[in-house]
Amino acid sequence: MKIRLGIPKGSLQEATLQLFTRAGLPIFTNGRSYFATTGDPEVECMLIRAQEMARYVEHGVLDAGLTGLDWVVESGLEVVTVSDLIYAKQSRGKVRWVLAVPEDSPYQRAEDLSDRIIATELVSVTRKYFENKRVSVEVEFSWGATEVKPPMLADAIVEVTETGNSLRANHLRIIDTVLESNTQIIANKKAWCDSQKRRKIENLALMLRGAMDAQNRVGLMLNVRKQDLAAVLAVLPALKNPTISTLSDGDWVAVNTVIEESTAWQVIPRLKEANGQGIVEYPLNKVVL
């Protein structure tokens, strides 16, 4: 049994390949080919633009794929949402499709754009956005470089942004959010009904989420006398209760937990003050909650 998996080609590609590596399934690409190999003989990969992923998953060319919620909504196709994976090109956050206008334009609201031209790649979603507001506009598909089109080629744009830096650099001002989006694992309905393929896809999602949850977290191990255990536990911020193990010396226990990496520099000195000993901080590959 094999599953055919779509990997997003383009802006999400590098972040996705890094995530798979952290999850323990490196994907090996060839710049001249749209096909990729993995260390798992049951997973075949193909590089597909995120905008097209839902189409090939829905048609059954792919059993599953990673793409943005925005392109699933834009396609209008029926696929199974397996899992949300909150990461983008530059960060572990969502992206926004925003309505933006030139800084010096008089437009302050979507309603001010009646009978104006809106340029975007997200045509269907944009049309529905303005229809819901009962504002008549002309939505034009943009093949790229959308930020440079106002004011000569369009009155406003709907464009995706992660930080807003590109919009500001092109002297554009955001007046509304049209859609929030994040990466998802989607699956073909027929493949999802196949118990073997479904289990493989679910396990893949589990490992990817585990790799994401491990980011920015570290493990901590230490030894402490039983009489000082309460003071040590009071210092530890944990995902759940720390693991406590008895040592060969009955007066001592070992404590193992996971914390946010950014807090380690504060936590470790406090653990030392609470009489923790042999404190070890170690990196994590995956955290399965």
Side-chain angles (χ1 to χ4, degrees), residues 138-207:
E138 182 179 344
V139 180
E140 293 184 347
F141 178 74
S142 173
W143 290 93
T146 307
E147 297 100 325
V148 304
K149 296 190 173 178
M152 293 183 63
L153 302 178
D155 297 290
I157 64 171
V158 171
E159 178 65 330
V160 67
T161 182
E162 193 172 342
T163 64
N165 291 337
S166 181
L167 295 172
R168 287 189 290 271
N170 285 280
H171 307 291
L172 297 173
R173 169 170 47 87
I174 296 172
I175 61 175
D176 199 10
T177 296
V178 174
L179 178 71
E180 278 195 343
S181 180
N182 58 267
T183 309
Q184 293 185 329
I185 303 176
I186 59 174
N188 171 268
K189 286 187 171 182
K190 184 176 180 181
W192 194 243
C193 290
D194 182 312
S195 60
Q196 287 186 306
K197 287 187 175 183
R198 178 168 180 165
R199 185 179 302 110
K200 189 71 176 181
I201 295 168
E202 287 179 328
N203 289 343
L204 177 66
L206 175 71
M207 297 299 280

Side-chain angles (χ1 to χ4, degrees), residues 185-261:
I185 303 176
I186 59 174
N188 171 268
K189 286 187 171 182
K190 184 176 180 181
W192 194 243
C193 290
D194 182 312
S195 60
Q196 287 186 306
K197 287 187 175 183
R198 178 168 180 165
R199 185 179 302 110
K200 189 71 176 181
I201 295 168
E202 287 179 328
N203 289 343
L204 177 66
L206 175 71
M207 297 299 280
L208 292 175
R209 289 196 305 270
M212 291 192 65
D213 287 335
Q215 282 186 277
N216 303 319
R217 287 173 171 159
V218 293
L220 275 185
M221 294 189 303
L222 68 141
N223 297 334
V224 63
R225 290 184 183 276
K226 287 182 178 180
Q227 65 191 38
D228 297 316
L229 179 59
V232 163
L233 295 181
V235 173
L236 291 175
L239 293 179
K240 292 186 178 178
N241 292 328
T243 299
I244 301 172
S245 306
T246 302
L247 298 179
S248 56
D249 184 334
D251 293 331
W252 289 76
V253 294
V255 179
N256 203 329
T257 192
V258 174
I259 65 171
E260 297 292 331
E261 186 174 17

